[in-house]
Amino acid sequence: MGANMSKLHKQPGFQNLIDDNFAAAGVEFAMLTSVLVVLTLCTTDIVPVWLAYTHTSNASNIAGDIATSFEAIKKSDMSDVFVAASQSILPFDPSGLSLRISNVFISADGTSRIYWSCASGSLKPFNALDPIKLAYGSNTYSFMPWLSASSGASSTNVSDTSYLYSEVIYTYSSPAKIVFRSPFTLSSSNFYLPRISQYISFPSDVLPGAAGSVPSQAKKTISLSLDNGVFCTYAQ
């Protein structure tokens, strides 16, 4: 048996087969190609999701930043804020965007209440004059605990001031549907302080004077519809 193998090893064709390393290169190429194909397909789905989240966050920032530049917002101004936010989501489909902007007023007793709120899409405006809280664990805190004193929260009470709360929800559907086969929700929220005054009155072009009442003196809630499917409530 050993003699036969020795003779076989001396044959030129068999020796060439032993020395041939092209097969190893082919196996390596096949393994690397599989990995690269998987990475390419995953990147095709993952990168657009990251870009969509970036645009979602930008929409929230743009809406809040524009709104805080006003001392008093007209109906047309508020409509423009929502248009600007929806345009910032491009090149993704703006129809999947839902936006809510609210002015939260902190009264002298530390209670955070909605002064006005506007929303579009699947989000609904908060009811004006309603207290607004955010449940966290066993305690209930304000959205900005460093601005208002809440039960169980260690914070500083800054009365007769307000902040703006901007929220965005975007329903994303992957075109490739390789990794993300079903639509899912991206969200972002931001807080802003008014730049010019303690609070931002809205709508300043409806019932002048009454609509701009000091929030602590407001007694009733009024609903309002704007362009582009935007619905609002405000305190008067």
Side-chain angles (χ1 to χ4, degrees), residues 76-230:
S76 59
D77 295 331
M78 185 62 74
S79 295
D80 290 342
V81 169
F82 277 77
V83 170
S86 65
Q87 291 298 308
S88 68
I89 206 71
L90 297 173
F92 299 97
D93 184 6
S95 64
L97 183 71
S98 299
L99 169 66
R100 177 165 57 199
I101 309 174
S102 306
N103 193 199
V104 182
F105 181 78
I106 303 169
S107 58
D109 62 0
T111 302
S112 299
R113 296 183 182 274
I114 297 296
Y115 183 35
W116 54 259
S117 181
C118 294
S120 65
S122 62
L123 290 173
K124 305 302 179 186
F126 291 115
N127 292 323
L129 298 181
D130 279 359
I132 185 165
K133 301 285 184 178
L134 180 63
Y136 182 78
S138 58
N139 296 321
T140 301
Y141 296 91
S142 301
F143 280 137
M144 294 179 72
W146 57 90
L147 281 181
S148 66
S150 303
S151 176
S154 176
S155 59
T156 302
N157 177 24
V158 181
S159 61
D160 297 328
T161 188
S162 71
Y163 60 88
L164 206 69
Y165 180 44
S166 175
E167 308 164 80
V168 168
I169 294 177
Y170 184 70
T171 303
Y172 177 80
S173 297
S174 170
K177 291 183 170 59
I178 298 171
V179 179
F180 306 102
R181 299 187 177 183
S182 301
F184 60 93
T185 299
L186 302 171
S187 62
S188 180
S189 59
N190 299 87
F191 302 96
Y192 300 86
L193 294 175
R195 302 180 191 176
I196 302 175
S197 57
Q198 289 183 317
Y199 59 91
I200 303 170
S201 65
F202 170 80
S204 61
D205 53 341
V206 177
L207 301 176
S213 301
V214 176
S216 59
Q217 299 176 356
K219 302 299 181 183
K220 61 181 180 179
T221 299
I222 298 178
S223 299
L224 182 68
S225 297
L226 303 180
D227 297 333
N228 304 321
V230 179

Side-chain angles (χ1 to χ4, degrees), residues 3 12 15 22 30 33-34 36 42 52 54 60 79 124 128 177 201 215:
Q15 188 63 41
F22 285 104
T33 300
S34 300
L36 290 175
C42 290
T54 301
S60 177
S79 295
K124 305 302 179 186
K177 291 183 170 59
S201 65

Side-chain angles (χ1 to χ4, degrees), residues 38-54 92 172 174-180 184 186:
V38 171
L39 289 176
T40 301
L41 293 177
C42 290
T43 303
T44 302
D45 244 6
I46 294 173
V47 171
V49 171
W50 177 78
L51 291 175
Y53 176 76
T54 301
F92 299 97
Y172 177 80
S174 170
K177 291 183 170 59
I178 298 171
V179 179
F180 306 102
F184 60 93
L186 302 171

